[in-house]
Amino acid sequence: KPEERDAVGARVFQVQQIITDLLSSIRDSIQSVPTECRLICSFLDNAVGGKFGDQKATEIALAGYLFLRLINPAIVVPDSMNIVDKNALTAEGRRSLLLVSKVVLNMANQVPFSKEPYLVPFNSFLVDKLPIIQSFIADCVQISPDAALTVTDLPPPLLILEELALLYKLLY
């Protein structure tokens, strides 16, 4: 029905606007990314790039770390990270955040929607906004020369991964 199509189109546009604002905030927060996160990104960039030699594979690995592990949990459950009050979100608000999270994660992973037909209208949006995520990821790999922590100050990479796994287990 035409009115249903219009309503869906309006909702898609609204979600795209929210995601556009979110991506701008993410891009503008690059200076706030902790040195330790940048060091992990640099390590992943070198490890994945060295093994596969493929820019897309490297971007996807970095997106997995940055978006799946850090950014998307803050989007989906902001109350558990003290971004909003525990009772601030309604069920509809949580569903909206989940939708935003799905779109952002697929964008970061460079995967168009196909299995969920209601998300297919976002595919061209994913392609259009991907450069913002790629730029953010590329910036996260850059480590400032005056960084207080250097790669030589870090424990061996396996120890870092074990500590991250333990931290993740404690938090989630």
Side-chain angles (χ1 to χ4, degrees), residues 30-31 33-46 62 136-154:
I30 189 65
Q31 297 304 319
V33 175
T35 301
E36 293 81 2
C37 287
R38 289 173 179 260
L39 287 166
I40 292 169
C41 287
S42 181
F43 172 77
L44 286 171
D45 182 53
N46 290 330
L62 289 163
F136 177 74
I137 289 171
D139 289 345
C140 283
V141 172
Q142 303 303 316
I143 303 169
S144 130
D146 61 337
L149 187 63
T150 65
V151 176
T152 57
D153 294 331
L154 290 174

Side-chain angles (χ1 to χ4, degrees), residues 71-146:
I71 295 171
N72 272 24
I75 294 171
V76 175
V77 284
D79 50 338
S80 73
M81 298 187 170
N82 296 322
I83 296 171
V84 299
D85 290 333
K86 292 281 182 201
N87 299 320
L89 293 173
T90 63
E92 183 179 329
R94 288 192 186 279
R95 281 192 304 274
S96 295
L97 290 174
L98 184 59
L99 176 62
V100 167
S101 172
K102 281 183 175 189
V103 174
V104 169
L105 189 59
N106 274 47
M107 185 183 302
N109 287 328
Q110 303 179 31
V111 176
F113 291 105
S114 60
K115 294 179 183 174
E116 298 168 292
Y118 70 98
L119 293 172
V120 170
F122 288 100
N123 283 342
S124 62
F125 179 73
L126 298 180
V127 173
D128 291 345
K129 299 298 180 182
L130 178 61
I132 297 171
I133 287 182
Q134 289 172 319
S135 173
F136 177 74
I137 289 171
D139 289 345
C140 283
V141 172
Q142 303 303 316
I143 303 169
S144 130
D146 61 337

